Structures are given as C-alpha cells and as structure tokens.
Amino acid sequence: MVDWSGGNDTGPTPRKDAIWIGEAGQSPRYLRNRLLAEEDLAEQIETSLTKGERMLIGFDFPFGYPAGFARALTGQADPMAVWDWLTARIEDAPAANNRFDVAGAINRGFGGASGPFWGNPLKREIDGLARTKAGYANPFADKRACETRARGSFTCWQLAGAGAVGSQVLMGLPVLNRLRQRFAGQVAIWPFDPLTAPVAFVEIWPGLINAAVRAATGNGQIRDAVQVDMMARVLAGLAPDRLAAMLAVNAPEEGWIFGLGLEQELTAPVSLKPPPLRNDCFALPPGVDWTPVDQALGMLQDRLTPVVGIEEVPLMQAAGRVLAGDLVALRSNPPQANTAVDGYGFAAASLPEGDVVLPLVQGRSAAGVPFQGAVPAGHAVRVLTGAALPKGVDTVVLDEDCAVDGGHVAFRGGVKPGANTRRAGEDVTKGAVALQVGQLMTPADLALAAAVGLGRVPVFERLRVGVLSTGDEVVEPGAEAGPGQIFDANRAMLLTMIARFGFEPVDLGRVPDDRSALRARLDEASQRVHLVLTSGGASAGDEDHVSALLREAGAMQEWRIALKPGRPLALGLWEGVPVFGLPGNPVAAFVCTLIFARPAMGLLAGAGWSVPQGFDMPAGFSKSKKLGRREYLRARIRDGRVEVFKSEGSGRVSGLSWAEGLVELPDGAALIQPGDRVRYIPFGSFGL
C-alpha cells in the first residue's frame, strides 16, 4: 500500500506528507522522493514476478477523472489515454516538477479560468490556473461518482491546500504508467483491465478506515506510515471471496475506490492494535509538587490514548460497546415517504375549495404491502400507518375526520399539504453519518443502526480493568480477621464500579506485603488486562510495594494531588499496561476512581474523555473551606437542596452508601451558607 506525494524531495528523515509504502508482514518504508519510490516498486514487482507470486499494490490517489474529461483532453473516453497524455508532458525531478504549469495548460485548453484545475501555491502566477476556487467554473463534475459516496474525500481538481489530492494524481499517474509499460502484459489497472495479470494496481483511500487509523496513531507516530501498514494488513487478511467482491466494480472511465461501500469489512480481517503508551506518559513537569486537580486531569487527557484493539460484531452484540468508526447509513430512514396514520391519501393540489368528496380507487397501501400503480388526481386511496405513499399521494387525512360510503370519502376542507406523512430520509439520509466514532452504544443507538440497514458494526474491544488489593492487613469479607486486620472493602466496590461504567472487570485478588508476590501478580495482570487499579501501597512508606515496584520498573510517578479525600495517586506502566495506584482508604479510592480513573478509562477504551455533568443547586448545609485543596463531599438532594454527609471523615464508608452524588468545592477558600449555590454531581453522571 502506497501513500503518495506530489511535492519535492522530503529529505533523509522520515516525515509526514511524504511517500510511505506498507507491505504485509513488513515495517512501513519511507521514500524521500518519487524517483526512489518508482525504483523501489519496480524491484518489488520484479521480485514478485520472479517468485511466481501475485501482487496487489494500492495507491492513495484517483486513477481517473470525472466523466467527460478524458475525451475532452485526448479525444478518447479512455482513462489510459489520460495516463499517456500526462506521461508525455509531466517533468519530474526530486527538487522540482512542472505539475502546476501542466494544469494551467490544460485549463487554457478549456478557456482559461473555466478550470477544471485550481490551486496555485507558487509565488509566480500561472496563466490559466487560479490560486483559489473563488470565481472558478468547472466544465466537468466536481467529483467522481465514487467520491460523492466517500465522505470526506477531496476533488481531484484541487492542486494545493489542506487535503488536496490533485497534485498526487498529476505526479502519480505517469509513474504508474511507466511501471505498466516496463512490465507490459504483467500489470492490470483496476477497474479498467481484467484482473488476469499477476500484478494489479488498485486505487485506495485510507479515509475508509480513518477511525481505526486515528485510534492506532499516537506517541509520535507518523499517520501516513500507520495507515499504509494497517491497509496492507487489512487487505492481506481478506478472505478470497471478500477480495473478489470488493474488486467486482464497473467504473470503466472514472475508476473507483477499493472497498468503498464495504468499509466495515476493511477492519474485520485483522485485530487492529494501537501502539503502547510511552514510559514517560505520567511524568510531571519539573518543579511540580502539589498538583491541582484540573492540571492533573489535563495531563491525563493529553497523554493517554486508546489501548484497545478493534473488532467487528453483529449489531445485536453491540450494546454497551464503543464505536470504532462512524456508522454510515446504508439506506435512508424512512426509506420512502410513508403515512403516519390510518386514513386516506391523495394529492393536495387536486383538492377543490371547501368540503371535499373524492372517489376512492380500488385497493390500499399497507406497511410492507404497497399500493401498486398511481392514484389519479382528484382521487383518494386507503392507507394504513407506516405504508409507503403511492404515486400521486402527498397528503393523508385521518380516519376519524372522514366519512366513507364505500366508493367515496368525504372530509372537511383546509387539510394542509403533506399532513400526516413522513418524508423519505427525514430522520437520516442514505450515506449520512448516523452515529459517530466513540459513541457508547445504547438501546436507542441499536435501533437507529438497525433502521438504517446496519447488521454489523466496528467497535473497540471492551476495556479490561483489573482490580488488585494489597496489604497484610487486608482479609476477605466474611473471613476471620485478626488484630489490626480489616476486611477488603475496596475490591468489591471497584469491580462493581468498573462494570457499571461499561468496562470488563477482572478480579486480580489480593497480595500480601511481599514484593515478589506483587511482581508476579502484576506480570500476570499485564497479560490479561488493559489497565490495573490497585488499592493500598501507593505512598512512599516501607510497605508501599506498589509504588516501589513501579519505581523499579522506571515508569512510576507519585502525583500528590491537591484533593480531599485522596492526595497520593501512584501512576505508572507495568509491561506497557497503565497502573493506577489508588489510596487504600475506601472513600478516597472511590473519589479518586470517579475523578481520575473514570475519564482515563474512557480514553483508553476509545470513547474519548468524558466530563461528568454537574448542576448548581442551593446548599442545605454550612461549611467554611480552607484554601489549597479541591474537596469532594458525599451528598444527595432532598427537598430541592443539597445535603452532605454528617461527617467528612474519609474512614466513614457508610457515607458512600448514604450518598447519591458529590458536592465539588473549588480549590480556593469558601464560606458556604444554606441557600448558596454549590456544584452537585450525581453518581449517574459518572455512569454509576
């Protein structure tokens, strides 16, 4: 798979907006200019032919232009004639080329400013080539048929500016044409040639798997390299029958984008795994000691990326899953104009003034059994709720408003045109985005996806979150507790919270204050989960083994957050898996999970960063708050006011059971009196 470039030599350092080649089973290769890329491709083809292999090479630029251009330019309605025409005129060297001059010459042949090309970024003017699209008139269609269906694609006439692809076409087709001539009879150009040759050139557009590419790109990776690598793996994993189905296209002049209309299948053949997080993703800026809550949240939001792969599942299994790509409607909803009520349909323009009596045609239109034929002007037909409107019908009058004698229907005048009908596509039109990437699929979302014809959807793998309790003092609930021991209240609480958030909880059990045992348990966890929550052992004491082990691994930061309850939050990576070391106190662990771990989980799961919805409500309590820390009080609403738990002690676990949300008090000092407005965040805003 080849990501092409229409510009000059990009130098020895791999960079974006250059030429990248992705090959299944190999790392992406960077080519600094088209001369080197042409020779690289020629060597690949020659090696493949020598081995007797078949080879498919995809290029990310159009192989043809909108209908009519080839004949107007060359006298033949043959895209290969355009390839030959450009090959004879394009001059290309690593440091310069004449693409803008050739485009200007083509435009002059069609009357100068009349197009079709536009976009001149050079300092010099070019006769016939407008700098922008302003005042531009194109004698041809702006886009090919395939591009009108490919959401986000650009016109091949635009030569410069963000997203422009026109330069790649002008500079790419001559290269493909020379390779085609060099290996005469061995290369087929899809979809113009029969695919009987051992090498096929196809047109690709990585935008079809944009969501998967976006999810997999991070940590300084170059998007162009990621997308050709992913496209190569995707196509290599296609079953032969699905590959054949994607190649079964009839577009003899304009060409086509491989896989268009079958985008979901392009992410199904392989598990698309994003890169791991960087070891320094939790590093604090120099000199930072106490970290304000907003700053801590901002650092997490900036540094975390999805860690889950992508899979395709049947729609019925998509509830609670996070969409890994936009869902595009396969058909409109409603698919055709229909009636919203039981009644009688007719053409509003045929109604006389005053009260109406219309003859009825034989038959009716019912849901799933449409009326065959057309309804003549001045006539009416029986229609039932949900039925397609027959030809000649644009308005429906309710049963209750009609009198019927068998052959005629009568009703009062004044019925508004279009009454009691639904327009085709008034909800969602075919080709429109019905649901966006990152959406957590609800029952209503399933209904919408089904209504627009989607039977399978791409989703992120469900985030697996492990919960591990640590400490000699912790014993299982119901077991015998010795002196100084406590029951493990955190694990059951955290596992249940994770499930309520929509992620997959994984019970990692308990480990004593034994560094070797903890290391072994973390090693096991790194193979099972995407994220680990620990409770206890996150500070800097002699028995705080979680923070000590993460520090040994070289990827640990202790964030002392200006927060009450909470403060210490150990963050690190273990074998590439993020670890959140929560405080051992259940109240502090609960609050830190809601405020920090919950939005981080959303990012890691592909759902994006979520901010809980809060409400300003009158206080039903008094409090004098000191400067320096943000505080979260256990709270609930009664009689239109926010009341808080009687004790702020973080050891009072009963306050969590009593509460229905949190009151968030700002970092600064505050004196709160009954009736003052305070910020209340219900637990439901976090997904509990």
Side-chain angles (χ1 to χ4, degrees), residues 382-459:
R382 176 68 167 156
V383 293
L384 302 181
T385 302
L389 294 182
K391 292 181 180 179
V393 173
D394 58 22
T395 306
V396 174
V397 63
L398 280 162
D399 256 349
E400 296 88 330
D401 296 333
C402 297
V404 181
D405 66 1
H408 292 78
V409 59
F411 51 89
R412 296 288 186 185
V415 178
K416 294 182 179 179
N420 302 312
T421 64
R422 307 183 184 104
R423 301 185 312 276
E426 69 176 17
D427 183 17
V428 181
T429 58
K430 180 179 178 180
V433 174
L435 293 166
Q436 294 185 327
V437 61
Q439 175 74 22
L440 183 67
M441 294 291 282
T442 66
D445 296 329
L446 296 185
L448 177 56
V452 296
L454 296 164
R456 299 181 66 84
V457 296
V459 295

Side-chain angles (χ1 to χ4, degrees), residues 151-152 204-211 213 223 227 231 263:
R151 181 175 175 266
I204 62 169
W205 183 47
L208 295 183
I209 60 168
N210 183 52
V213 172
R223 179 187 176 90
Q227 63 190 21
M231 284 292 289
E263 290 86 345

Side-chain angles (χ1 to χ4, degrees), residues 88-120:
R89 292 164 177 80
I90 287 289
E91 299 172 2
D92 194 7
N97 61 74
N98 68 339
R99 66 186 187 273
F100 298 110
D101 296 287
V102 170
I106 293 174
N107 282 356
R108 291 195 300 273
F110 293 111
S114 296
F117 292 101
W118 60 274
N120 173 19

Side-chain angles (χ1 to χ4, degrees), residues 290-300 559 561-564 595-596 609 628-632 664-665 667:
W290 285 97
T291 308
V293 171
D294 287 340
Q295 183 179 346
L297 290 173
M299 287 189 289
L300 287 176
W559 288 13
I561 299 171
L563 170 75
K564 179 183 177 181
I595 303 304
F596 298 106
W609 186 265
R629 288 197 290 172
R630 183 168 303 183
E631 295 188 18
Y632 291 91
E664 181 183 59
L665 299 181
D667 301 348

